[in-house]
Amino acid sequence: MDTEQTKETLLPLSGRVTAVAIGAALIVITTTVPYLTLLNAFFFSGIFIAGMVAIYYAVIHHQVRLTYNEAFILGSFCGFAGGMFSETLSFLLIELTGYRPGMEGMKLLLDWARDMAAGKPELAEQLRVLAEMETLALAPMELTLADLFIGILFASMFYAPVAGIGGMFTVFRLKRQAARGR
């Protein structure tokens, strides 16, 4: 395995900006588009993939080598920007149209849980809790700007490291392929 080098990367600023834009766009897509939001129900895999794709683009398009640290930082910027834009778009969708991203996926998961528990009286209490959760989740909501800023803060805190790890994974895979001579 290669050792980390301390020299500055050769990735130009425009390449970094483009990579962050690609990663942020993929995060917005996987967190707001109906049914694609289900990707993130599996350990934030949509955000992880966004970090992977952004770093892959940067490395392949600009033909540069990134260290793991550089890939993590660039991927984290993707996650941070994606979290900001995703939360802002979600806020606007809720306020302007009443649509809450991710509700259809949650409804599918709740229906699946109900189907699995059907005919099992020992799970009656869990079904009651699921019904209460669904009622609360589908209830109309009022959001304030404070809610938006708190949402941006939390989304960015969670999305940044996940996308950064996705970027590191891409560098790991590319270095492994290069070592094999592909």
Side-chain angles (χ1 to χ4, degrees):
M1 205 168 237
D2 295 337
T3 58
E4 294 286 312
Q5 297 177 3
T6 57
K7 71 175 191 170
E8 183 71 24
T9 183
L10 298 175
L11 184 62
L13 180 61
S14 64
R16 293 177 194 185
V17 170
T18 305
V20 168
I22 289 170
L26 289 173
I27 288 171
V28 168
I29 289 169
T30 62
T31 57
T32 57
V33 173
Y35 300 108
L36 278 180
T37 57
L38 283 172
L39 275 175
N40 293 314
F42 304 105
F43 308 110
F44 294 112
S45 60
I47 296 158
F48 183 84
I49 291 168
M52 287 175 52
V53 169
I55 301 306
Y56 184 84
Y57 166 80
V59 169
I60 298 302
H61 186 267
H62 294 283
Q63 292 296 301
V64 296
R65 289 184 180 191
L66 293 179
T67 64
Y68 293 113
N69 291 338
E70 292 168 334
F72 180 80
I73 290 169
L74 188 57
S76 293
F77 280 125
C78 295
F80 185 79
M84 285 178 30
F85 292 130
S86 173
E87 284 300 311
T88 303
L89 180 61
S90 295
F91 179 83
L92 291 173
L93 286 171
I94 292 168
E95 287 297 310
L96 300 176
T97 67
Y99 170 70
R100 285 195 270 181
M103 283 296 107
E104 62 287 325
M106 189 187 78
K107 186 149 175 48
L108 278 175
L109 291 174
L110 289 172
D111 289 344
W112 174 74
R114 272 196 208 94
D115 290 345
M116 296 294 286
K120 297 178 182 170
E122 65 273 10
L123 297 177
E125 178 62 24
Q126 285 84 359
L127 283 175
R128 187 188 62 74
V129 170
L130 281 176
E132 288 177 14
M133 284 175 46
E134 184 177 23
T135 303
L136 286 173
L138 297 176
M141 61 187 320
E142 290 284 327
L143 294 177
T144 65
L145 284 178
D147 295 326
L148 172 64
F149 292 124
I150 290 170
I152 287 172
L153 176 71
F154 280 106
S156 297
M157 278 184 1
F158 286 113
Y159 296 0
V162 173
I165 292 169
M168 288 175 62
F169 181 75
T170 295
V171 168
F172 170 75
R173 293 290 299 158
L174 290 172
K175 286 184 178 187
R176 201 164 157 203
Q177 283 179 350
R180 288 184 182 166
R182 290 187 183 173

